[in-house]
């Protein structure tokens, strides 16, 4: 009874605001980084408030929604129709369709602001993409800009993938014409940012090519692979399409493009299979799209900035896991680039380096960040030992574990073995470390590994001390715990 | 009836590749071949993949005919009985269980020759019931099995017991080249009067602690030779110490890694950090105030 009363009390005074607040809050915790700080939350609240005011005013001229098609229409096939939906900080939840020619009709669109285009990909079901609202909110939080959601659902929604691909050129021509128009009206090409998902990434590439690569930035989120793999640069996205092209790969073995396409190519978990995605077809639709969609969610998290994911330049994911690519010398004094929206800070050094492939690992759930430690082990066993190492970090009652088992590591006398330990959580301070050495032998005597030194270097937190332990014996399959001490600073 | 039994049999003896559609054909072939048993043994070399299977079946069939000899319909039933309850024939097979490599045709050959050379006498003896329902051949097989398992277990135990870790073997006599480290450390006391710090008692205490630390070190212990406090200065409560190690003639790598200053210094440092302040002894060494140098073959005197 009391509950109902409370509810009424809450709802009655300002139904609009409560509704929007509620909506933002749930969206936030659903998709991205539920651990949002208080400051951020406040910002959201204000944005929501602003949105609700516009919303109330918008009762007069109603919102333009993303085209929603049903299965019948995708089955029949759709003809291309490109709609540009404008979102700004003033109308976060209410898109306004922008006329290609009469720009001045829409006062919310301001040419002095930077403009970001969000271009979706192939829509086999015809339903609007689930992430449109999130990306609009998060982009608006970065900077005051015009966010144009390119709605080419009519054209992309088609059971026949070939026709959707055929429509990419025409969609690109349409967008190009619009950009040329705003350029003539005073907008700068360098302040245009195209964000393309899947097929949309290639659409962005075509737009960039038609504008002779003068566009500021193209971000490609898992650019489509089928029908684009192995084609020459003119027929797909390539680094000449914009001043800065950054690409995120999450499904290179199915719907995504395998090779590098930009100035920087981020490969999440090697680019092929993403943790937390179903491995069998029994999971239904998500079996097909989970890996592919992960690129968008990773990007959303990069906008949220709960945690930054650092990516390391390397020749392959395997080498990265082997700990062979943990130097960031070429970016000094900066760190290695971080994934997503803020990668543009590395633009200058990346343009100097040419095409760069970078690798990183993620956890299975949002916010996807892992904590990486570089581990150096020196042993004094006369004979070389092979095995896997399990490292646990303890802080208070919390424990995180890293199994370095992608292959057997080699431990040779007086030779530093470098490993990469990836933990799902960042524990600080580390009060205790537990080590275990496994060889997989079921029978026979227990081998011992004799350590001269083990050194753990936190990779993403250069201000934290390196942790060391000296002179230790690890017996096979037996855990050894110790209290780490800060390494002797004079001999790093 | 006939068909039922055969169907029960087939899954256990056929491999996956066996085509069930061929079942009928197989029947026909088998029936044909049982009619001329002799020929079937000699046919082996030219036999195809499937005939290997066939011959096993058919071999049973032969016995069936020998025992029952009542015709095609009943012999199949005989086979099943024989397999379940009366393992009369397989004894040549069980007598040579270790020789895994012996192929099926060879086994059949031995069975045949034994039968032919009056092996029936031996078979009869082996088939004798010894205890309860256990026959002699069963007991022999059981004993062999137990012996084999025991041998394996014993081997594993011996391996584990006799295994000598190469890294645990060393000869102190061969360590002859001296190596010295020296430095200073600061003593901190809890409720100990100042003058006690400088007494011989506390000096012995510290020396003992350092000695047991380095002597029990897995990497350094074998090379460790001795420790001494040279001076304990009044007032500042700072002690000078030396550590002596003995190395083998070939010690280039050893000096670079195991007996490096980094190792010797940090083994001490980490030992001191492991001690809970307050919970430890009344007199302890301040881990932040140890100083160490050296690594030379000669002791640098203070």
């Amino acid at each position: 009874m009391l509950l109902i009363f409370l509810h009424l009390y809450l709802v009655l005074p300002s139904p609009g605001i409560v509704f929007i607040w509620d909506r933002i809050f749930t969206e936030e915790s659903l998709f991205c980084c539920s651990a949002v700080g208080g400051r951020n939350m406040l910002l959201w609240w204000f944005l929501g408030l602003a949105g609700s005011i516009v919303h109330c005013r918008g009762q007069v001229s109603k919102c333009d929604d993303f085209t929603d098609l049903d299965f019948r229409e995708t089955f029949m096939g759709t003809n291309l129709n490109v709609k540009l939906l404008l979102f700004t900080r003033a109308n976060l939840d209410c898109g306004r369709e922008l006329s290609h020619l009469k720009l001045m009709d829409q006062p919310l669109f301001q040419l002095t602001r930077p403009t970001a285009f969000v271009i979706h990909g192939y829509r086999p079901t015809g339903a609007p993409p689930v992430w449109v609202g999130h990306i609009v909110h998060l982009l608006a939080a970065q900077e005051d800009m015009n966010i144009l959601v390119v709605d080419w659902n009519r054209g992309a929604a088609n059971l026949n993938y070939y026709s959707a691909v055929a429509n990419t050129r025409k969609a690109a021509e349409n967008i190009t014409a619009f950009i040329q128009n705003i350029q003539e009206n005073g907008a700068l090409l360098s302040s245009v940012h195209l964000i393309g998902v899947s097929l949309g990434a290639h659409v962005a590439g075509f737009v960039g090519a038609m504008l002779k690569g003068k566009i500021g930035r193209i971000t490609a989120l898992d650019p489509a692979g089928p029908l684009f793999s192995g084609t020459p640069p003119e027929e797909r996205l390539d680094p000449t399409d914009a001043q800065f092209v950054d690409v995120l790969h999450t499904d290179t073995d199915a719907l995504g493009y395998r090779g590098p396409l930009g100035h920087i190519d981020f490969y999440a978990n090697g680019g092929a299979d993403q943790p937390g995605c179903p491995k069998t077809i029994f999971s239904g639709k998500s079996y097909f799209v989970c890996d592919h969609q992960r690129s968008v969610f990773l990007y959303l998290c990069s906008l949220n900035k709960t945690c930054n994911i650092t990516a390391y330049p390397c020749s392959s994911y395997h080498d990265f896991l082997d700990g062979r690519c943990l130097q960031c010398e070429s970016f000094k004094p900066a760190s290695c680039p971080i994934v997503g929206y803020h990668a543009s800070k590395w633009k200058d050094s990346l343009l100097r380096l040419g095409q760069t492939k970078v690798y990183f690992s993620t956890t299975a759930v949002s916010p996807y960040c892992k904590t990486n430690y570089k581990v150096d082990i020196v042993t004094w066993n006369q004979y070389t030992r092979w095995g896997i190492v399990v490292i646990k970090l303890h802080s208070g009652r919390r424990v995180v574990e890293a199994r370095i088992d992608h292959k057997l590591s080699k431990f040779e006398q007086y030779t530093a073995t470098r490993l990469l330990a990836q933990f799902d959580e960042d524990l600080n301070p580390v009060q205790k470390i537990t080590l275990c050495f496994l060889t997989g032998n079921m029978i026979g005597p227990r081998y011992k590994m004799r350590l001269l030194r083990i050194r753990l270097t936190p990779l993403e937190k250069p201000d934290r001390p390196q942790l060391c332990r000296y002179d230790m014996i690890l017996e096979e399959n037996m855990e050894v715990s110790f209290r780490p001490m800060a390494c002797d600073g004079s001999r790093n | 009836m006939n068909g039922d039994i055969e169907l029960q049999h087939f899954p256990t003896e056929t491999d996956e590749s066996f085509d069930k559609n061929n079942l009928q054909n197989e029947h026909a072939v088998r029936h044909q071949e049982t009619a001329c048993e002799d020929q079937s043994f000699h046919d082996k070399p030219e036999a195809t993949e499937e005939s290997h299977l066939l011959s096993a079946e058919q071999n049973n069939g032969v016995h069936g005919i020998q025992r029952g000899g009542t015709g095609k319909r009943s012999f199949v039933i005989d086979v099943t009985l024989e397999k379940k309850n009366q393992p009369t024939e397989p004894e040549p097979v069980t007598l040579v269980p270790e020789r895994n490599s012996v192929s099926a045709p060879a086994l059949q050959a031995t069975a045949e020759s034994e039968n032919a050379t009056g092996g029936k006498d031996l078979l009869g003896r082996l088939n004798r019931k010894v205890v309860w329902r256990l026959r002699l051949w069963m007991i022999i097989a059981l004993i062999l099995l137990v012996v084999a398992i025991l041998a394996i277990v014993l081997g594993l135990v011996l391996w584990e017991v006799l295994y000598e870790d190469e890294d645990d073997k060393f000869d102190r006599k061969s360590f002859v080249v001296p190596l010295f480290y020296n430095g200073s450390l600061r003593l901190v006391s809890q409720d100990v009067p100042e003058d006690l710090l400088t007494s011989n008692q506390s000096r012995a205490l510290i020396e003992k602690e350092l000695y047991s630390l380095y002597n029990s070190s897995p990497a350094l212990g074998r090379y460790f030779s001795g420790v001494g406090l040279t001076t304990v200065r009044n007032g500042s409560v700072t002690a000078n110490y030396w550590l002596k190690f003995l190395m083998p003639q070939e010690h280039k790598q050893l000096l670079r890694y195991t007996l490096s200053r980094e190792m010797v210094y940090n083994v001490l440092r980490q030992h001191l950090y492991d001690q809970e302040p307050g919970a430890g002894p009344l007199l302890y060494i301040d881990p932040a105030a140890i100083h160490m140098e050296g690594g030379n073959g000669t002791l640098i005197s203070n």
Side-chain angles (χ1 to χ4, degrees):
Chain A
M1 188 60 198
L2 187 73
L3 250 171
I4 293 167
F5 179 75
L6 262 176
H7 189 73
L8 278 173
Y9 176 76
L10 269 175
V11 170
L12 277 173
S14 52
I17 292 173
V18 169
F19 168 69
I20 283 173
W21 159 262
D22 196 19
R23 186 167 162 200
I24 292 171
F25 188 78
T26 44
E27 276 173 357
E28 187 62 25
S29 47
L30 240 178
F31 279 105
C32 212
C33 322
S34 43
V36 187
R39 198 172 54 89
N40 225 349
M41 222 50 240
L42 206 67
L43 176 72
W44 283 116
W45 197 81
F46 279 120
L47 289 174
L49 203 70
S52 70
I53 293 162
V54 172
H55 194 82
C56 297
R57 245 197 272 150
Q59 303 291 319
V60 188
S61 55
K62 66 181 198 332
C63 305
D64 297 305
D65 292 330
F66 194 94
T67 312
D68 192 358
L69 303 174
D70 58 25
F71 183 75
R72 194 164 38 88
E73 282 163 294
T74 68
F75 187 75
M76 302 297 288
T78 49
N79 291 321
L80 182 68
N81 177 25
V82 180
K83 271 198 324 190
L84 295 172
L85 301 175
L86 172 71
F87 295 86
T88 64
R89 283 185 176 179
N91 62 326
L92 275 176
D93 293 296
C94 176
R96 299 300 172 83
E97 189 172 347
L98 215 56
S99 152
H100 274 57
L101 298 170
K102 297 178 206 157
L103 285 177
M104 298 311 137
D105 285 0
Q106 183 48 262
L108 285 168
F109 185 72
Q110 285 174 21
L111 291 167
T112 50
R113 286 197 291 233
T115 305
F117 290 76
V118 179
I119 311 168
H120 66 82
Y122 176 51
R123 309 291 319 154
T125 62
V130 288
W131 41 263
V132 165
H134 308 281
I135 203 164
V136 166
H137 278 96
L138 289 165
L139 281 173
Q142 310 300 316
E143 211 179 328
D144 187 14
M145 55 175 140
N146 307 306
I147 301 154
L148 290 170
V149 174
V150 178
D151 172 7
W152 63 295
N153 207 3
R154 290 192 184 277
N158 200 320
L159 275 192
N160 184 0
Y161 177 67
Y162 288 84
S163 356
V165 171
N167 283 331
T168 53
R169 283 269 176 203
K170 283 178 261 172
E173 279 162 19
N174 187 303
I175 299 164
T176 308
F178 178 81
I179 295 176
Q180 278 166 342
N181 186 18
I182 62 169
Q183 190 194 7
E184 281 159 20
N185 281 281
L188 290 172
L189 282 189
S190 59
S191 65
V192 171
H193 181 186
L194 306 179
I195 301 167
V197 181
S198 188
L199 264 190
H202 294 293
V203 173
F206 296 149
V207 172
M210 289 178 208
L211 294 166
K212 311 234 166 6
K214 285 180 189 156
I215 277 180
R217 181 178 179 187
I218 292 178
T219 297
L221 303 180
D222 209 31
L227 295 187
F228 289 94
S229 296
T231 54
E234 314 81 80
E235 291 168 37
R236 56 168 169 83
L237 175 70
D238 71 299
T240 64
D241 292 338
Q243 289 169 22
F244 180 54
V245 179
D246 59 315
V247 186
L248 176 56
H249 299 268
T250 56
D251 193 20
T252 55
D253 58 346
L255 305 177
Y257 193 96
R258 188 179 295 273
L261 291 172
H263 293 107
I264 184 166
D265 283 75
F266 294 92
Y267 288 87
N269 301 297
D273 294 313
Q274 301 306 315
C277 282
K279 299 241 183 308
T280 59
I281 202 161
F282 301 110
S283 312
K285 186 189 161 200
S286 87
Y287 170 74
F288 296 101
V289 298
C290 179
D291 286 342
H292 197 44
Q293 242 177 6
R294 182 61 62 85
S295 61
V296 179
F297 295 136
L298 285 172
Y299 195 72
L300 291 178
C301 275
S302 84
L303 288 165
N304 197 298
K305 264 190 152 176
T306 309
C307 57
N308 287 328
I309 304 179
T310 309
Y312 297 86
C314 203
S315 53
S316 73
Y317 188 54
H318 198 268
D319 281 0
F320 165 70
L321 289 180
D322 279 355
R324 280 186 229 156
C325 306
L326 306 178
Q327 298 82 9
C328 300
E329 303 298 329
S330 40
F331 300 102
K332 286 262 160 89
S335 66
C336 277
I338 58 170
V339 176
Y341 186 79
H342 301 282
S344 53
K345 286 178 193 155
W346 281 263
K347 182 180 162 186
D348 293 336
S349 40
L350 285 168
L351 292 180
R352 198 178 63 238
L353 288 169
Q355 284 199 315
T356 308
K357 285 161 88 173
V358 291
Y359 293 85
F360 63 98
S361 301
T362 71
T363 60
V365 290
S366 165
Y368 303 112
C369 295
K370 280 212 174 196
T371 302
N372 297 306
Y373 279 85
K374 182 172 79 181
V375 181
D376 292 293
I377 295 174
V378 185
T379 60
W380 59 276
N381 286 68
Q382 285 179 54
Y383 297 104
T384 302
R385 293 258 177 269
W386 297 81
I388 65 172
V389 176
V390 181
I391 304 176
K392 285 183 198 162
L393 304 183
H394 306 251
S395 184
R397 302 184 71 181
R398 298 204 295 159
V399 185
V400 283
E401 185 187 284
R403 282 181 83 86
I404 305 159
D405 59 355
H406 66 286
K407 68 166 201 187
L408 289 178
S409 303
K410 184 184 181 186
F411 299 94
E412 208 176 342
Q413 190 181 30
Y414 300 147
T415 309
T417 302
R418 171 155 301 174
L419 307 170
L420 172 64
Q422 304 182 303
F423 299 93
D424 282 0
E425 237 181 295
D426 182 23
L427 293 192
N428 192 46
V430 178
Q431 286 155 340
K432 194 171 86 169
I433 296 178
T434 304
L435 282 182
C436 191
F437 170 67
L438 309 166
T439 59
N441 287 343
M442 301 295 285
I443 51 168
R446 280 212 177 116
Y447 289 118
K448 286 174 179 169
M449 190 157 75
R450 296 163 157 82
L451 267 58
L452 282 179
R453 185 194 66 200
I454 178 166
R455 186 172 64 198
L456 284 89
T457 314
L459 283 172
E460 287 87 18
K461 305 281 189 313
D463 48 317
R464 288 192 197 159
Q466 291 179 307
L467 304 174
C468 274
R469 187 75 191 183
Y470 293 84
D471 192 21
M472 186 169 43
I473 290 188
L474 285 183
E475 210 172 329
E476 195 181 332
N477 303 330
M478 299 280 277
E479 286 193 337
V480 176
S481 295
F482 56 86
R483 195 157 74 176
M485 64 173 182
C487 295
D488 182 8
S490 58
R491 299 241 178 170
N492 281 344
Chain B
M1 176 65 184
N2 186 5
D4 281 351
I5 290 158
E6 279 173 2
L7 278 171
Q8 279 172 0
H9 258 271
F10 266 112
T12 58
E13 301 199 347
T14 50
D15 56 23
E16 294 161 315
S17 65
F18 190 83
D19 188 354
K20 286 207 171 172
N21 293 337
N22 278 346
L23 211 61
Q24 292 305 321
N25 292 343
E26 289 297 333
H27 282 224
V29 174
R30 211 142 49 99
H31 284 246
Q32 241 174 26
E33 293 213 349
T34 41
C36 43
E37 321 106 28
D38 279 355
Q39 192 194 341
S40 65
F41 288 118
H42 309 300
D43 275 352
K44 289 282 134 43
E46 298 114 56
T48 57
E49 270 185 349
E50 282 182 6
S51 75
H52 173 75
L53 189 197
L54 256 185
S55 65
E57 280 275 312
Q58 168 218 4
N59 192 21
N60 286 333
V62 172
H63 300 308
I65 286 172
Q66 278 175 345
R67 304 186 88 254
T70 48
K72 288 166 194 169
R73 279 189 90 77
S74 62
F75 87 81
V76 182
I77 298 161
D78 268 9
V79 172
T80 53
L81 287 173
E82 206 173 76
K83 285 189 77 105
K84 279 180 184 160
N85 307 329
Q86 296 183 292
T88 2
E89 299 305 326
E91 68 272 348
V93 183
T94 48
L95 274 175
V96 281
E98 273 79 23
R99 282 190 264 157
N100 287 335
S101 57
V102 179
S103 64
L107 284 175
Q108 285 152 11
T110 45
E112 202 180 22
S113 67
E114 292 237 6
N115 278 346
T117 55
K120 283 210 168 156
D121 222 25
L122 178 68
L123 288 184
R125 254 181 285 156
L126 282 171
N127 224 1
R128 204 177 61 220
K129 279 187 190 171
V130 183
V131 191
W132 189 46
R133 281 159 82 179
L134 290 175
R135 290 166 196 277
L136 185 60
W137 69 266
M138 286 177 172
I139 289 170
I140 292 173
L142 211 66
I143 290 169
L144 282 175
L145 195 73
V146 168
V147 167
I149 290 171
L150 271 179
I152 291 169
V153 170
L154 200 70
L156 283 176
V157 169
L158 278 178
W159 184 24
E160 238 178 289
V161 170
L162 298 179
Y163 169 75
E164 281 188 4
D165 200 325
E166 287 294 315
D167 295 304
D168 284 338
K169 281 193 278 185
F170 59 89
D171 178 16
R172 270 186 205 268
K173 284 190 200 107
S174 68
F175 302 154
V176 287
V177 184
L179 172 76
F180 288 98
Y181 284 98
N182 54 49
S184 61
L185 42 85
R186 199 161 65 91
L187 301 175
V188 183
S189 68
Q190 292 170 346
D191 308 327
V192 178
E194 280 280 312
D195 56 328
L196 192 76
L197 282 175
T198 52
S199 71
N200 277 337
Q201 199 192 342
S202 65
R203 170 189 293 225
L205 210 70
I206 297 294
E207 276 179 1
K208 201 178 143 204
E209 190 184 344
L210 290 179
Y211 188 91
S212 69
L213 162 65
Y214 281 108
N215 205 40
S216 62
S217 152
L220 304 176
R222 64 191 62 177
Y223 308 108
F224 183 65
S225 165
V227 58
L229 292 189
T230 49
T231 50
V232 179
R233 268 174 269 151
N234 268 328
S236 63
V237 213
T238 307
N240 287 345
Y241 65 91
W242 54 265
L243 297 164
K244 186 185 178 190
F245 296 91
L246 288 172
M247 301 181 290
Q249 291 291 354
E250 182 51 56
H251 56 254
K252 211 176 139 195
Q253 292 281 75
L254 202 64
L255 205 52
R256 244 186 103 187
Y257 296 96
T258 311
L259 287 174
S260 63
R261 183 209 169 260
E262 189 193 352
M263 266 303 277
V264 177
Y265 171 66
N266 280 299
V267 164
L268 173 58
R269 200 165 74 103
Q270 107 186 350
H271 170 76
L272 298 176
Y273 271 117
D274 280 352
Q275 293 175 341
E276 295 285 339
L282 289 176
L283 189 65
Y284 69 93
I285 304 164
D286 181 4
I290 29 172
H291 168 75
M292 189 183 284
E293 61 188 29
N296 302 318
T298 56
L299 173 60
I300 306 164
S301 62
N302 51 320

